Amino acid sequence: MAKQFDVIVIGAGPGGYIAAIRAAQLGMSVACVDAWQNGQGGPAPGGTCTNVGCIPSKALLQSSEHYQAAGHHFAEHGIEVKGLELKLDTMIGRKNSVVKQNNDGILYLFKKNKVAFFHGKGAFAGKADGGYAVKVTGTTSEDLVGKHVVVATGSSPRALPGLPFDEKVVLSNDGALSLDIVPKKLGVIGGGVIGLEMGSVWRRLGAEVTVLEAMPEFLALVDQQVAKEAQKIFTKQGLAIETGIKLGDVKASAKSVTVPYANAKGEEQKLVVDKLIVSIGRIPYTGGLNPEAVGLQLDERGFVSVDGDCKTNLPNVWAIGDVVRGPMLAHKAEEEGVAVAECIAGQHGHVNFDTIPSVIYTSPEIAWVGKNEQQLKKEGREYKAGSFPFLANGRARALGDTTGFAKVIADAKTDEVLGVHIIGPMASELIAEAVTIMEFKGAAEDIARICHAHPTLSESVKEAALAVDKRALNF
Ligand code: FAD
Ligand code: NAI
């Protein structure tokens, strides 16, 4: 006899587990099915984000930054470190335990919110009386029926043609987060978010890192003033970055990878590395979901087709997160999860795509929301921009981290904030203020008139807002 639910969520990544919790909060009976296994074969909810994405990468970024600081920056604070040693197994072990804390946290939240969790693969098995039949196989075998189904099956890394990931020498994000030695030479194909974050981790730990990027501009989607500053800083830190390259036929052996490529000038080059991270984007994942059983429509790139409200072509079947259009970000998946649960409950769930922040967790961090200068120029929209360097911020000086700047862009006539772009310390935290202001359709003048605590890095955002009107006080 199949178990009946108001809502079945397939996938317990940030999209799925949040959708399940919100639906339960709204009084519905909810099942969440997730297949991810930990090293012991047990459940590991949290998806890519928790297991091989946001959380473990930030754990290693933090650890590697401490190592870098102890080796290179403590001395200027009068702290001498003798016999500095890297214990990579401890560092990776700590990362694994941070992941486990998050897995356990989600299992606890399911219990607390009375979400029935099924560990296994969920597949559509056809239409059923009262909704859709979903078959769970794997650790758990179960037949479920849901009035509503939310597909939140996420994404997987894109491989180079003819070069599958072996996670030993050719690494996706998964292998790049679990190396047992620091490679002497590390190659990275794709100078996007994963390439820069993972490249930074292993460079700080001692690898010689070369990043090969196909696009002629570095970080083409980022405000180009910020991108240029980032390229300068990362290069100075020791990351070798080549843009405008064209890859040849990459060959992997058991111990090394040979990467032939033409550089931006068209000259043939050859890079030989111990390990190669391939971070050229991700693709939607619907393996094992059996969408054909119910006629769920996918688009030509394999994403589940949805409208602006995450409705699929089938009544009462919804899809959210990386498996649908839009930026592949955990917080975007979460917002869609909440919105869908609220729509199912008859409310007016909604995601504002114009105010989704983006962050690259390098050092310095890069964060932005809204439009950048190159986009506004293309649109022909008149704007004014103001910047403020962290070099002129007292807190940044006290921290010993004065790289970068904050930049506010506002409409030339109305002063409405159109975009905020930050490269600098804690940019990931500073951007929240900009998101709030933009959500309320605030003006640069609003940021400029709000009292910011002193001394804080956030004063740089206020000063950048003042600079929009050419009246920065500290620069
Ligand atoms: P996922 O997190 O991919 O979860 C999908 C889940 O569904 C998985 O657990 C999978 O096992 C399960 N599943 C799939 N099919 C089935 C099935 N048929 N039955 C049962 N279960 C199934 N984003 C940020 O916002 N900030 C960051 O700092 C950040 N860092 C990242 C770092 C890395 C290295 C990577 C790879 C990604 C990072 N991301 C980050 C992106 C973020 O991880 C994704 O956007 C996010 O995980 C998408 O959430 P989701 O719920 O859509 O899918
Ligand atoms: P990405 O889209 O950020 O970057 C991929 C890069 O590879 C691009 O710059 C692209 O031009 C380049 N590229 C593509 N094909 C190439 C080729 N053949 N040769 C050389 N370069 C090539 O994708 P990435 O880094 O793989 O990350 C996937 C997604 O995961 C991101 O888009 C992001 O949504 C998410 N993510 C988010 C993070 C965050 O929020 N901090 C951190 C890590 C990942």
Side-chain angles (χ1 to χ4, degrees):
M1 180 71 180
K3 291 188 171 145
Q4 303 269 342
F5 292 92
D6 293 327
V7 182
I8 299 173
V9 183
I10 305 180
Y17 91 79
I18 289 292
I21 290 173
R22 184 71 188 120
Q25 282 178 347
L26 291 165
M28 291 175 264
S29 62
V30 183
C32 186
V33 186
D34 189 89
W36 207 293
Q37 298 192 350
N38 62 24
Q40 291 72 50
T48 301
C49 170
T50 300
N51 292 293
V52 291
C54 324
I55 301 299
S57 61
K58 267 81 251 178
L60 287 186
L61 278 156
Q62 187 62 52
S63 298
S64 60
E65 195 152 0
H66 283 325
Y67 180 68
Q68 163 105 0
H72 299 278
H73 305 301
F74 279 6
E76 72 206 43
H77 293 264
I79 304 167
E80 203 174 310
V81 181
K82 285 205 176 103
L84 182 68
E85 200 185 327
L86 174 67
K87 294 249 197 290
L88 186 58
D89 53 345
T90 308
M91 197 180 277
I92 298 287
R94 174 188 176 275
K95 180 264 298 178
N96 291 341
S97 67
V98 172
V99 167
K100 187 167 183 316
Q101 283 163 25
N102 282 272
N103 297 142
D104 293 347
I106 295 167
L107 289 171
Y108 161 78
L109 290 171
F110 281 160
K111 250 195 201 132
K112 182 179 160 202
N113 289 283
K114 302 194 173 48
V115 172
F117 177 67
F118 297 94
H119 187 213
K121 202 117 198 160
F124 281 109
K127 294 200 172 130
D129 222 13
Y132 296 88
V134 171
K135 193 163 190 58
V136 183
T137 51
T139 318
T140 323
S141 287
E142 203 81 57
D143 291 314
L144 312 177
V145 170
K147 270 191 225 157
H148 291 260
V149 178
V150 181
V151 175
T153 49
S155 63
S156 55
R158 182 197 302 280
L160 279 169
L163 190 74
F165 297 112
D166 63 10
E167 305 299 1
K168 290 189 177 79
V169 288
V170 181
L171 313 170
S172 71
N173 53 297
D174 196 349
L177 287 161
S178 294
L179 293 178
D180 53 8
I181 51 160
V182 179
K184 209 164 163 306
K185 288 188 174 212
L186 174 69
V188 177
I189 309 291
V193 203
I194 295 181
L196 293 174
E197 290 188 1
M198 295 319 301
S200 295
V201 165
W202 294 107
R203 180 199 58 75
R204 290 172 196 161
L205 298 179
E208 196 181 299
V209 181
T210 304
V211 179
L212 299 179
E213 165 59 45
M215 295 290 282
E217 303 94 21
F218 180 62
L219 291 176
L221 300 178
V222 175
D223 184 278
Q224 281 301 295
Q225 191 189 349
V226 170
K228 287 202 170 71
E229 179 78 359
Q231 186 167 8
K232 207 169 67 192
I233 297 167
F234 298 154
T235 304
K236 202 167 154 209
Q237 288 172 348
L239 213 56
I241 301 168
E242 284 207 51
T243 56
I245 67 101
K246 198 167 181 318
L247 274 187
D249 201 6
V250 182
K251 290 261 179 285
S253 73
K255 287 217 168 82
S256 67
V257 190
T258 305
V259 186
Y261 66 97
N263 67 15
K265 292 185 199 139
E267 297 157 347
E268 296 301 323
Q269 307 285 321
K270 191 166 79 177
L271 178 73
V272 181
V273 290
D274 313 334
K275 311 266 180 199
L276 183 73
I277 297 176
V278 177
S279 47
I280 55 169
R282 295 177 63 83
I283 49 177
Y285 180 74
T286 50
L289 181 66
N290 199 19
E292 304 80 20
V294 286
L296 179 66
Q297 203 173 78
L298 309 186
D299 71 14
E300 65 287 351
R301 293 188 300 156
F303 289 96
V304 177
S305 305
V306 286
D307 67 7
D309 293 327
C310 296
K311 283 184 182 145
T312 68
N313 64 312
L314 301 171
N316 298 343
V317 178
W318 312 72
I320 59 172
D322 280 10
V323 80
V324 303
R325 64 5 190 182
M328 288 187 170
L329 295 172
H331 41 282
K332 176 263 193 184
E334 291 182 27
E335 292 300 315
E336 287 181 332
V338 169
V340 160
E342 293 180 350
C343 286
I344 293 173
Q347 300 181 357
H348 299 283
H350 171 70
V351 179
N352 183 358
F353 278 85
D354 294 335
T355 54
I356 295 175
S358 294
V359 179
I360 308 177
Y361 294 82
T362 41
S363 179
E365 292 180 345
I366 299 169
W368 70 95
V369 59
K371 302 222 163 134
N372 57 41
E373 284 205 59
Q374 63 264 29
Q375 284 170 321
L376 291 168
K377 278 188 186 132
K378 211 165 154 193
E379 286 175 14
R381 185 149 183 190
E382 282 184 45
Y383 66 88
K384 18 179 207 171
S387 301
F388 186 82
F390 285 100
L391 197 62
N393 174 279
R395 184 66 187 279
R397 287 193 200 119
L399 288 170
D401 195 352
T402 52
T403 43
F405 56 87
K407 169 167 158 182
V408 173
I409 306 177
D411 184 273
K413 289 194 190 78
T414 65
D415 198 37
E416 181 185 345
V417 176
L418 303 176
V420 175
H421 305 267
I422 305 172
I423 174 165
M426 297 310 247
S428 57
E429 301 293 339
L430 298 177
I431 203 66
E433 174 182 14
V435 176
T436 310
I437 286 285
M438 286 186 65
E439 193 63 45
F440 284 96
K441 297 219 171 289
E445 176 88 15
D446 290 320
I447 305 179
R449 290 206 176 271
I450 289 168
C451 180
H452 289 65
H454 177 77
T456 58
L457 297 167
S458 70
E459 288 172 291
S460 298
V461 179
K462 175 184 168 130
E463 289 276 0
L466 282 165
V468 166
D469 222 11
K470 300 198 171 33
R471 56 190 180 101
L473 295 163
N474 282 285
F475 185 63

